[in-house]
Amino acid sequence: MRRLLLALPFALLPLAVAQAHEHKHDHDHHDHAHDSLGAHEHGVASLNVALDGQTLELQLESPAMNLVGFEHAAKSDADKAKVATAKAELEQPLSLFALAAGDCKATQVELQSPLFGDAGHHDHDHHEHQGEHSEIHAHYRFDCARANDLKQLDLAELFKRFPATEKIQVQLIGPSGQQGVELTPAQPRLNF
């Protein structure tokens, strides 16, 4: 399954390249780890989804601005509280992704961001040279007892809890093949 999810960005590279030509970039730099899926753009996140048998994997990548409202290190109590709240929300993926139909249980939740105090995060040196453009990465693995009942991925709750997220570029590999779609608060659902 890990191979399947990691191959996803490469399998969908032509789609990502086509989208990159359609969208202008707001910043002068690129995060090298994410060049294949596009550049850091406030309001925009990416979500890779892979459903293989009863295993569902999700990888969410978002500028911290979308999830906490800023990208600098949290120094004030108010900023630290925003980071803690966002982290707590992201640690509850079943409520964010509406997966009840598949009887899914989260078996793995990994969150990474310099804002969470990840000392070894790969962007640390990059930030000092390029300004602060922190990202938050979330990787989820679910075991879904009724995976065949999963008919759609519903991100309405994610958009509601993180209103600065205006659109999510979703790349999905599922039983009916691969697809790419842009979800928004007005259109938060993707059919498997």
Side-chain angles (χ1 to χ4, degrees), residues 145-163:
R146 296 192 325 266
N148 290 339
D149 292 347
L150 282 175
K151 301 300 182 206
Q152 67 178 210
L153 185 65
D154 186 341
L155 302 183
E157 190 65 25
L158 189 142
F159 283 115
K160 179 180 165 190
R161 293 185 191 197
F162 301 108

PDB file of all heavy atoms in Angstrom, residues 145-163:
ATOM      1  N   ALA A 145     -13.593  -1.904   7.592  1.00  0.00           N
ATOM      2  CA  ALA A 145     -14.231  -3.225   7.583  1.00  0.00           C
ATOM      3  C   ALA A 145     -15.218  -3.362   6.427  1.00  0.00           C
ATOM      4  O   ALA A 145     -15.383  -4.449   5.877  1.00  0.00           O
ATOM      5  CB  ALA A 145     -14.922  -3.480   8.921  1.00  0.00           C
ATOM      6  N   ARG A 146     -15.866  -2.250   6.064  1.00  0.00           N
ATOM      7  CA  ARG A 146     -16.822  -2.273   4.947  1.00  0.00           C
ATOM      8  C   ARG A 146     -16.347  -1.297   3.864  1.00  0.00           C
ATOM      9  O   ARG A 146     -17.085  -0.392   3.464  1.00  0.00           O
ATOM     10  CB  ARG A 146     -18.224  -1.918   5.444  1.00  0.00           C
ATOM     11  CG  ARG A 146     -18.791  -2.937   6.442  1.00  0.00           C
ATOM     12  CD  ARG A 146     -20.276  -2.766   6.726  1.00  0.00           C
ATOM     13  NE  ARG A 146     -20.737  -1.400   6.728  1.00  0.00           N
ATOM     14  CZ  ARG A 146     -20.842  -0.614   7.813  1.00  0.00           C
ATOM     15  NH1 ARG A 146     -20.507  -1.077   8.990  1.00  0.00           N
ATOM     16  NH2 ARG A 146     -21.284   0.626   7.719  1.00  0.00           N
ATOM     17  N   ALA A 147     -15.154  -1.517   3.370  1.00  0.00           N
ATOM     18  CA  ALA A 147     -14.560  -0.604   2.374  1.00  0.00           C
ATOM     19  C   ALA A 147     -15.446  -0.470   1.137  1.00  0.00           C
ATOM     20  O   ALA A 147     -15.498   0.596   0.522  1.00  0.00           O
ATOM     21  CB  ALA A 147     -13.166  -1.081   1.990  1.00  0.00           C
ATOM     22  N   ASN A 148     -16.160  -1.521   0.775  1.00  0.00           N
ATOM     23  CA  ASN A 148     -17.037  -1.457  -0.405  1.00  0.00           C
ATOM     24  C   ASN A 148     -18.173  -0.465  -0.219  1.00  0.00           C
ATOM     25  O   ASN A 148     -18.786  -0.023  -1.188  1.00  0.00           O
ATOM     26  CB  ASN A 148     -17.604  -2.842  -0.741  1.00  0.00           C
ATOM     27  CG  ASN A 148     -16.539  -3.781  -1.265  1.00  0.00           C
ATOM     28  OD1 ASN A 148     -15.498  -3.332  -1.744  1.00  0.00           O
ATOM     29  ND2 ASN A 148     -16.782  -5.068  -1.151  1.00  0.00           N
ATOM     30  N   ASP A 149     -18.496  -0.125   1.038  1.00  0.00           N
ATOM     31  CA  ASP A 149     -19.565   0.841   1.309  1.00  0.00           C
ATOM     32  C   ASP A 149     -19.078   2.287   1.200  1.00  0.00           C
ATOM     33  O   ASP A 149     -19.894   3.207   1.255  1.00  0.00           O
ATOM     34  CB  ASP A 149     -20.150   0.617   2.707  1.00  0.00           C
ATOM     35  CG  ASP A 149     -20.919  -0.696   2.796  1.00  0.00           C
ATOM     36  OD1 ASP A 149     -21.205  -1.291   1.738  1.00  0.00           O
ATOM     37  OD2 ASP A 149     -21.219  -1.118   3.927  1.00  0.00           O
ATOM     38  N   LEU A 150     -17.770   2.478   1.074  1.00  0.00           N
ATOM     39  CA  LEU A 150     -17.239   3.837   0.909  1.00  0.00           C
ATOM     40  C   LEU A 150     -17.538   4.298  -0.511  1.00  0.00           C
ATOM     41  O   LEU A 150     -16.924   3.841  -1.464  1.00  0.00           O
ATOM     42  CB  LEU A 150     -15.721   3.874   1.145  1.00  0.00           C
ATOM     43  CG  LEU A 150     -15.252   3.848   2.584  1.00  0.00           C
ATOM     44  CD1 LEU A 150     -13.729   3.777   2.635  1.00  0.00           C
ATOM     45  CD2 LEU A 150     -15.737   5.063   3.346  1.00  0.00           C
ATOM     46  N   LYS A 151     -18.492   5.167  -0.636  1.00  0.00           N
ATOM     47  CA  LYS A 151     -18.892   5.659  -1.956  1.00  0.00           C
ATOM     48  C   LYS A 151     -18.340   7.047  -2.242  1.00  0.00           C
ATOM     49  O   LYS A 151     -18.222   7.451  -3.383  1.00  0.00           O
ATOM     50  CB  LYS A 151     -20.421   5.687  -2.085  1.00  0.00           C
ATOM     51  CG  LYS A 151     -21.071   4.334  -1.880  1.00  0.00           C
ATOM     52  CD  LYS A 151     -20.595   3.319  -2.892  1.00  0.00           C
ATOM     53  CE  LYS A 151     -21.300   1.986  -2.691  1.00  0.00           C
ATOM     54  NZ  LYS A 151     -20.538   0.863  -3.171  1.00  0.00           N
ATOM     55  N   GLN A 152     -18.025   7.808  -1.163  1.00  0.00           N
ATOM     56  CA  GLN A 152     -17.489   9.140  -1.388  1.00  0.00           C
ATOM     57  C   GLN A 152     -16.641   9.592  -0.210  1.00  0.00           C
ATOM     58  O   GLN A 152     -16.753   9.066   0.897  1.00  0.00           O
ATOM     59  CB  GLN A 152     -18.596  10.155  -1.671  1.00  0.00           C
ATOM     60  CG  GLN A 152     -19.507  10.449  -0.520  1.00  0.00           C
ATOM     61  CD  GLN A 152     -20.548  11.515  -0.867  1.00  0.00           C
ATOM     62  OE1 GLN A 152     -20.952  12.228   0.004  1.00  0.00           O
ATOM     63  NE2 GLN A 152     -20.962  11.630  -2.116  1.00  0.00           N
ATOM     64  N   LEU A 153     -15.795  10.542  -0.498  1.00  0.00           N
ATOM     65  CA  LEU A 153     -14.988  11.215   0.508  1.00  0.00           C
ATOM     66  C   LEU A 153     -15.617  12.592   0.682  1.00  0.00           C
ATOM     67  O   LEU A 153     -15.794  13.322  -0.293  1.00  0.00           O
ATOM     68  CB  LEU A 153     -13.541  11.334   0.014  1.00  0.00           C
ATOM     69  CG  LEU A 153     -12.535  11.897   0.991  1.00  0.00           C
ATOM     70  CD1 LEU A 153     -12.369  10.972   2.183  1.00  0.00           C
ATOM     71  CD2 LEU A 153     -11.189  12.068   0.299  1.00  0.00           C
ATOM     72  N   ASP A 154     -15.991  12.930   1.900  1.00  0.00           N
ATOM     73  CA  ASP A 154     -16.680  14.183   2.183  1.00  0.00           C
ATOM     74  C   ASP A 154     -15.785  15.053   3.054  1.00  0.00           C
ATOM     75  O   ASP A 154     -15.492  14.710   4.199  1.00  0.00           O
ATOM     76  CB  ASP A 154     -18.004  13.890   2.889  1.00  0.00           C
ATOM     77  CG  ASP A 154     -18.845  15.135   3.097  1.00  0.00           C
ATOM     78  OD1 ASP A 154     -18.298  16.259   3.042  1.00  0.00           O
ATOM     79  OD2 ASP A 154     -20.050  14.986   3.333  1.00  0.00           O
ATOM     80  N   LEU A 155     -15.331  16.185   2.501  1.00  0.00           N
ATOM     81  CA  LEU A 155     -14.427  17.083   3.219  1.00  0.00           C
ATOM     82  C   LEU A 155     -15.145  18.299   3.794  1.00  0.00           C
ATOM     83  O   LEU A 155     -14.497  19.265   4.191  1.00  0.00           O
ATOM     84  CB  LEU A 155     -13.299  17.538   2.286  1.00  0.00           C
ATOM     85  CG  LEU A 155     -12.454  16.424   1.671  1.00  0.00           C
ATOM     86  CD1 LEU A 155     -11.336  17.007   0.835  1.00  0.00           C
ATOM     87  CD2 LEU A 155     -11.904  15.486   2.718  1.00  0.00           C
ATOM     88  N   ALA A 156     -16.470  18.273   3.871  1.00  0.00           N
ATOM     89  CA  ALA A 156     -17.228  19.425   4.369  1.00  0.00           C
ATOM     90  C   ALA A 156     -16.767  19.831   5.767  1.00  0.00           C
ATOM     91  O   ALA A 156     -16.595  21.025   6.051  1.00  0.00           O
ATOM     92  CB  ALA A 156     -18.725  19.117   4.375  1.00  0.00           C
ATOM     93  N   GLU A 157     -16.542  18.861   6.638  1.00  0.00           N
ATOM     94  CA  GLU A 157     -16.125  19.174   8.012  1.00  0.00           C
ATOM     95  C   GLU A 157     -14.718  19.767   8.049  1.00  0.00           C
ATOM     96  O   GLU A 157     -14.448  20.683   8.824  1.00  0.00           O
ATOM     97  CB  GLU A 157     -16.204  17.917   8.888  1.00  0.00           C
ATOM     98  CG  GLU A 157     -16.033  18.192  10.361  1.00  0.00           C
ATOM     99  CD  GLU A 157     -17.157  19.044  10.965  1.00  0.00           C
ATOM    100  OE1 GLU A 157     -18.277  19.060  10.429  1.00  0.00           O
ATOM    101  OE2 GLU A 157     -16.901  19.702  11.990  1.00  0.00           O
ATOM    102  N   LEU A 158     -13.830  19.288   7.181  1.00  0.00           N
ATOM    103  CA  LEU A 158     -12.484  19.849   7.117  1.00  0.00           C
ATOM    104  C   LEU A 158     -12.555  21.315   6.693  1.00  0.00           C
ATOM    105  O   LEU A 158     -11.911  22.174   7.299  1.00  0.00           O
ATOM    106  CB  LEU A 158     -11.622  19.032   6.153  1.00  0.00           C
ATOM    107  CG  LEU A 158     -10.140  19.376   6.171  1.00  0.00           C
ATOM    108  CD1 LEU A 158      -9.313  18.104   6.014  1.00  0.00           C
ATOM    109  CD2 LEU A 158      -9.779  20.348   5.085  1.00  0.00           C
ATOM    110  N   PHE A 159     -13.337  21.625   5.672  1.00  0.00           N
ATOM    111  CA  PHE A 159     -13.494  23.012   5.238  1.00  0.00           C
ATOM    112  C   PHE A 159     -14.123  23.869   6.346  1.00  0.00           C
ATOM    113  O   PHE A 159     -13.755  25.022   6.534  1.00  0.00           O
ATOM    114  CB  PHE A 159     -14.353  23.098   3.968  1.00  0.00           C
ATOM    115  CG  PHE A 159     -13.635  22.715   2.706  1.00  0.00           C
ATOM    116  CD1 PHE A 159     -14.021  21.598   1.987  1.00  0.00           C
ATOM    117  CD2 PHE A 159     -12.577  23.478   2.225  1.00  0.00           C
ATOM    118  CE1 PHE A 159     -13.372  21.250   0.801  1.00  0.00           C
ATOM    119  CE2 PHE A 159     -11.926  23.136   1.039  1.00  0.00           C
ATOM    120  CZ  PHE A 159     -12.314  22.018   0.337  1.00  0.00           C
ATOM    121  N   LYS A 160     -15.064  23.295   7.087  1.00  0.00           N
ATOM    122  CA  LYS A 160     -15.741  24.034   8.161  1.00  0.00           C
ATOM    123  C   LYS A 160     -14.760  24.356   9.296  1.00  0.00           C
ATOM    124  O   LYS A 160     -14.741  25.473   9.817  1.00  0.00           O
ATOM    125  CB  LYS A 160     -16.906  23.195   8.695  1.00  0.00           C
ATOM    126  CG  LYS A 160     -17.683  23.837   9.819  1.00  0.00           C
ATOM    127  CD  LYS A 160     -18.819  22.905  10.250  1.00  0.00           C
ATOM    128  CE  LYS A 160     -19.390  23.338  11.586  1.00  0.00           C
ATOM    129  NZ  LYS A 160     -20.300  22.325  12.118  1.00  0.00           N
ATOM    130  N   ARG A 161     -13.951  23.376   9.681  1.00  0.00           N
ATOM    131  CA  ARG A 161     -13.023  23.578  10.800  1.00  0.00           C
ATOM    132  C   ARG A 161     -11.815  24.428  10.422  1.00  0.00           C
ATOM    133  O   ARG A 161     -11.201  25.033  11.284  1.00  0.00           O
ATOM    134  CB  ARG A 161     -12.573  22.231  11.351  1.00  0.00           C
ATOM    135  CG  ARG A 161     -13.714  21.482  12.002  1.00  0.00           C
ATOM    136  CD  ARG A 161     -13.245  20.225  12.645  1.00  0.00           C
ATOM    137  NE  ARG A 161     -14.399  19.408  13.023  1.00  0.00           N
ATOM    138  CZ  ARG A 161     -14.328  18.410  13.876  1.00  0.00           C
ATOM    139  NH1 ARG A 161     -13.177  18.096  14.431  1.00  0.00           N
ATOM    140  NH2 ARG A 161     -15.403  17.710  14.166  1.00  0.00           N
ATOM    141  N   PHE A 162     -11.466  24.435   9.150  1.00  0.00           N
ATOM    142  CA  PHE A 162     -10.312  25.209   8.670  1.00  0.00           C
ATOM    143  C   PHE A 162     -10.776  26.119   7.527  1.00  0.00           C
ATOM    144  O   PHE A 162     -10.471  25.875   6.360  1.00  0.00           O
ATOM    145  CB  PHE A 162      -9.189  24.272   8.212  1.00  0.00           C
ATOM    146  CG  PHE A 162      -8.703  23.351   9.297  1.00  0.00           C
ATOM    147  CD1 PHE A 162      -8.997  21.995   9.258  1.00  0.00           C
ATOM    148  CD2 PHE A 162      -7.967  23.836  10.372  1.00  0.00           C
ATOM    149  CE1 PHE A 162      -8.561  21.139  10.262  1.00  0.00           C
ATOM    150  CE2 PHE A 162      -7.530  22.993  11.379  1.00  0.00           C
ATOM    151  CZ  PHE A 162      -7.824  21.641  11.325  1.00  0.00           C
ATOM    152  N   PRO A 163     -11.529  27.186   7.846  1.00  0.00           N
ATOM    153  CA  PRO A 163     -12.166  28.009   6.808  1.00  0.00           C
ATOM    154  C   PRO A 163     -11.199  28.758   5.890  1.00  0.00           C
ATOM    155  O   PRO A 163     -11.607  29.192   4.816  1.00  0.00           O
ATOM    156  CB  PRO A 163     -13.038  28.981   7.609  1.00  0.00           C
ATOM    157  CG  PRO A 163     -12.509  28.956   8.994  1.00  0.00           C
ATOM    158  CD  PRO A 163     -11.878  27.619   9.197  1.00  0.00           C
TER     159      PRO A 163
END
